[in-house]
Amino acid sequence: MSNYKLYARVSDKSQNLSSQIRDLRKAHPDGVLYQEKLSGVSRRRPEREKMLSELVAGEVVVCIRMSRLSRSMQDLFDVVAKIEAKGCHIRFIHEDIRTDTSHGRLVFNIMASINSYHRELINDSCSAGRKIALEKGVKFGKPRKIKPAQEKLVRKLKEEGKTHAEITEATGIKKGTLYLILNPDKR
């Protein structure tokens, strides 16, 4: 049994995994390889999930770069937490970070702290901006697509005893939107 799980990912089916695989195999020739071609924004990563589920305490997950394991810092920290919860470690070859050394854990945790601080700054800034915008009367959310005349027609048809199906057929307005028009207190 190998002590290494090697993970390679490219963002597009037209890209080639060969250089990542070569470097991973060079570092750990006996490692078990997991590879996939998926966009960084894709939340579904079946090979990564398979690798995580097969981890056994004491193993090391090896990636060429942090960006290959994850595209967002939050997702990266979540994945590393899953790896560590199984009693395993991670190594990023390009960044020369490994969580099985005190130096590597320090660098990784500094990055986690900076990420957390950055997220808080963004949240504070967004909250302040939203508050100012609300005070100025800015409306958030999608603009209404239904015009007042259409709402008036829906109410009129309902008063005439038409069913939701008949109103939908007559106006082209979906049933969910009809419900909101006819029950404005539920918005």
Side-chain angles (χ1 to χ4, degrees):
M1 181 176 97
S2 172
N3 288 333
Y4 298 97
K5 304 286 192 195
L6 313 176
Y7 181 73
R9 181 185 63 80
V10 290
S11 301
D12 189 276
K13 292 195 185 301
S14 66
Q15 293 176 320
N16 194 320
L17 285 161
S18 61
S19 66
Q20 284 184 56
I21 293 170
R22 181 193 66 232
D23 292 347
L24 289 167
R25 288 280 186 221
K26 183 178 175 184
H28 301 285
D30 61 334
V32 177
L33 180 66
Y34 300 83
Q35 58 184 309
E36 51 198 347
K37 293 185 174 189
L38 289 169
S39 166
V41 297
S42 174
R43 292 183 186 262
R44 197 180 134 286
R45 295 207 175 98
E47 284 296 302
R48 184 179 78 177
E49 294 309 313
K50 179 181 176 188
M51 176 189 67
L52 293 173
S53 72
E54 294 176 357
L55 278 174
V56 177
E59 291 184 320
V60 178
V61 173
V62 183
C63 296
I64 295 299
R65 298 174 179 269
M66 288 183 187
S67 65
R68 297 302 86 206
L69 186 61
S70 177
R71 272 295 185 199
S72 78
M73 289 302 278
Q74 186 58 53
D75 182 54
L76 176 65
F77 293 124
D78 291 345
V79 171
V80 170
K82 288 177 186 177
I83 292 168
E84 290 177 342
K86 289 197 165 206
C88 299
H89 296 285
I90 190 154
R91 176 179 179 214
F92 298 107
I93 293 173
H94 182 264
E95 292 91 349
D96 196 23
I97 295 174
R98 44 188 314 145
T99 62
D100 61 344
T101 67
S102 57
H103 178 262
R105 283 188 300 277
L106 172 67
V107 171
F108 192 81
N109 286 322
I110 288 171
M111 290 177 58
S113 295
I114 290 170
N115 182 58
S116 177
Y117 174 70
H118 187 249
R119 226 179 12 258
E120 285 180 30
L121 287 177
I122 290 170
N123 288 342
D124 290 348
S125 177
C126 288
S127 293
R130 180 177 287 277
K131 182 180 177 187
I132 290 169
L134 286 170
E135 289 170 358
K136 291 181 176 181
V138 172
K139 305 267 189 234
F140 290 94
K142 293 181 180 179
R144 294 184 60 168
K145 293 181 181 179
I146 305 298
K147 296 180 176 30
Q150 289 174 299
E151 285 189 23
K152 187 176 178 181
L153 176 59
V154 166
R155 286 190 190 93
K156 180 180 177 246
L157 292 172
K158 186 63 178 173
E159 287 172 6
E160 292 173 0
K162 303 287 186 196
T163 67
H164 284 156
E166 292 170 326
I167 297 171
T168 296
E169 188 176 317
T171 63
I173 297 173
K174 295 179 183 174
K175 286 185 182 182
T177 306
L178 289 181
Y179 179 80
L180 292 174
I181 292 170
L182 298 170
N183 302 287
D185 54 317
K186 301 288 184 183
R187 285 186 184 173

